[in-house]
Amino acid sequence: MASQRSTPDVDVAVVGAGVVGLAVAAILAPRCRVALLERHHTYGLENSSHNSGVIHAGLYFPADWLKTRLCVEGNRLLYQWAEAHGVRHRRLGKLVIARSEDELPALEALMRQGRENGAPGLEMLSPGEVARLEPHLRCAGAFFSPSSGIVDQMGLMRSLLQEAQAHGALIAFRHEVVGLERAEGGFRVAYRGPDGEEGELATAAVVNAAGLQADRVGALLGYDPDGGPANPPFRHRFNRGRYYDLVDREKASRLRHLVYPLPNSDRTGAGVHVGIDLDGNVHLGPDTEWLPDGAPLDFRNDDSARERFLQAGRAFYPDLRPEDLAPGQVGYRPKLQRPGGPPQDFLIWHDRGYVHLGGIESPGLTSCLAIARHVAGLLGRA
Ligand SMILES: Cc1cc2nc3c(=O)[nH]c(=O)nc-3n(C[C@H](O)[C@H](O)[C@H](O)COP(=O)(O)OP(=O)(O)OC[C@H]3O[C@@H](n4cnc5c(N)ncnc54)[C@H](O)[C@@H]3O)c2cc1C
């Protein structure tokens, strides 16, 4: 890829081939000329493949937040997409439980919030209904979310990539965006290619879907990540989420639905829950842990949280033993929230052809197609 021309090579350059960048490319490619630049040798190697794979219903945030609106819309779009494109998924349903009587008011409040948000079909369960759905589960109360499910993240990303390519999008793996500047007709995107060579691409618009690195990419264009007259604050703080896999087959076969506790009070995460993947494997997690600024992002699990997971896991499996757990995957939340501070919405911010996607943590996977449609609208390509 190289350009010396002042007329754009493409209409939209998308930075980052995670699930969000791929969804943006898939939605925009039938409408305009798209180039997608990804620094790794393939798509989805960061957060989009290190998550619970849950298609969320939209329970956890206020009704007018993007995290809610795009999740509720994204849930519907994702099931439609998965069915139309043969992406493996299951509408498993999820129970949110109160572990003790004193959690019941919060359980009821969360269900009310979910209903207000438009999450379909939520219903409080009687003890008999809980026992029928999950005979092995002990809890003080539960509600059921029938539209919660699971999706094959890599399969979803593959289908989005294929859709974008089928409509002529240029996909450039091993192309790291290292510079961005405004130019006649839009922007010049400087990249470092596979052999370390540098090049430029001229584009009318830029969508920054760089996930964890979106704040760094935004800064390339001269915006201040801490906010200023030209832009809202968008600096990320990272919060780690670790998983442990339940390797005892008998225990892993006990629960048939996703089972969640109430979320953390500061909403840093949805709480260590029982996740089931499409192969029937059970994963406990993710926990939440703030990282110091500048700490390296290591996607390996160092097994230092086994004791904590044992305690959390006994809410679902009272007889859980240390040897039933094996260290699982690790993901990192790009947070606009600060330790001890209130939760923050997605930041989807548009300035003269530049779209910034900041703080795209959960439910970003669920919301990917709705985010993509929203971005298309901002760029006048709806
Ligand atoms: C522990 C955990 C559990 C989660 N569980 C769920 C869940 O169950 N359901 C749900 O809906 N959501 C969930 N999420 C959220 C979801 O995983 C993310 O919102 C989503 O994957 C974000 O996708 P993305 O494309 O924005 O980012 P990423 O997947 O991180 O992709 C960004 C891409 O940009 C590339 N990039 C960065 N800088 C550059 C550059 N300079 N040049 C070129 N490329 C660059 C990166 O290499 C990367 O490939 C979870 C998140 C975590 C951390």
Side-chain angles (χ1 to χ4, degrees):
M1 284 198 309
S3 172
Q4 302 302 320
R5 300 191 303 275
S6 59
T7 50
D9 300 308
V10 294
D11 298 309
V12 182
V14 181
V15 186
V19 73
V20 173
L22 288 163
V24 170
I27 294 297
L28 285 178
R31 305 164 194 202
C32 60
R33 296 170 304 157
V34 174
L36 174 59
L37 295 96
E38 164 57 50
R39 61 182 174 170
H40 294 307
H41 71 279
T42 189
Y43 57 90
L45 292 183
E46 299 202 356
N47 265 343
S48 297
S49 54
H50 294 81
N51 57 51
S52 303
V54 170
I55 304 174
H56 285 296
L59 305 177
Y60 295 110
F61 299 99
D64 59 349
W65 280 29
L66 289 171
K67 274 186 177 172
T68 300
R69 286 174 26 220
L70 297 176
C71 180
V72 172
E73 183 190 346
N75 173 296
R76 188 175 47 78
L77 294 175
L78 192 46
Y79 280 119
Q80 282 171 3
W81 180 279
E83 268 150 37
H85 294 83
V87 177
R88 288 204 307 155
H89 66 287
R90 270 181 73 199
R91 208 183 279 260
L92 270 184
K94 141 173 161 178
L95 280 85
V96 183
I97 65 167
R99 287 168 291 193
S100 56
E101 300 276 326
D102 58 337
E103 287 187 348
L104 287 172
L107 184 75
E108 278 157 20
L110 185 65
M111 196 183 82
R112 272 197 307 278
Q113 177 75 68
R115 282 190 170 154
E116 193 187 320
N117 291 355
L122 302 182
E123 52 173 327
M124 200 56 80
L125 301 176
S126 67
E129 287 166 330
V130 175
R132 187 174 52 77
L133 286 176
E134 290 293 0
H136 295 282
L137 186 64
R138 299 286 163 265
C139 62
F143 72 81
F144 187 62
S145 166
S147 73
S148 304
I150 50 176
V151 66
D152 167 8
Q153 304 98 316
M154 291 312 285
L156 170 63
M157 287 190 275
R158 195 160 47 248
S159 72
L160 294 166
L161 176 71
Q162 285 166 351
E163 176 79 1
Q165 283 175 321
H167 288 93
L170 173 65
I171 311 291
F173 293 127
R174 300 181 69 199
H175 278 67
E176 179 174 8
V177 172
V178 293
L180 277 177
E181 62 179 342
R182 290 191 184 270
E184 193 189 333
F187 302 82
R188 261 198 305 273
V189 179
Y191 59 82
R192 190 176 305 117
D195 302 316
E197 81 284 6
E198 307 228 330
E200 274 188 1
L201 174 77
T203 177
V206 173
V207 177
N208 175 357
L212 295 161
Q213 308 297 330
D215 53 352
R216 290 197 186 177
V217 171
L220 294 177
L221 201 48
Y223 295 118
D224 180 352
D226 295 312
N231 64 278
F234 56 66
R235 189 181 294 285
H236 288 155
R237 277 292 306 268
F238 298 130
N239 184 289
R240 179 164 59 184
R242 276 179 291 205
Y243 294 80
Y244 275 76
D245 301 336
L246 181 56
V247 292
D248 180 278
R249 300 309 302 174
E250 183 278 320
K251 289 189 182 72
S253 67
R254 286 183 194 167
L255 298 176
R256 297 185 295 234
H257 302 85
L258 303 166
V259 182
Y260 278 57
L262 289 168
N264 306 356
S265 56
D266 62 1
R267 294 289 197 275
T268 43
V272 169
H273 56 263
V274 177
I276 303 176
D277 68 25
L278 285 155
D279 298 319
N281 299 310
V282 172
H283 312 278
L284 295 177
D287 64 352
T288 61
E289 185 182 352
W290 289 103
L291 259 59
D293 279 336
L297 302 184
D298 188 339
F299 283 89
R300 293 168 298 181
N301 190 333
D302 62 9
D303 197 12
S304 59
R306 186 180 290 260
E307 186 54 38
R308 212 165 348 127
F309 271 76
L310 206 51
Q311 298 311 321
R314 284 186 178 141
F316 314 107
Y317 307 95
D319 54 345
L320 193 66
R321 303 163 305 168
E323 60 270 31
D324 295 335
L325 297 177
Q329 63 173 346
V330 177
Y332 291 92
R333 304 173 179 90
K335 288 222 173 258
L336 299 171
Q337 182 181 7
R338 294 293 175 257
Q344 300 291 323
D345 201 357
F346 292 152
L347 174 67
I348 302 186
W349 171 68
H350 178 216
D351 178 26
R352 297 167 292 145
Y354 169 75
V355 179
H356 186 93
L357 300 175
I360 309 294
E361 49 175 327
S362 190
L365 172 70
T366 308
S367 310
C368 64
L369 288 161
I371 293 174
R373 279 194 176 184
H374 186 69
V375 168
L378 292 174
L379 294 176
R381 306 272 181 190

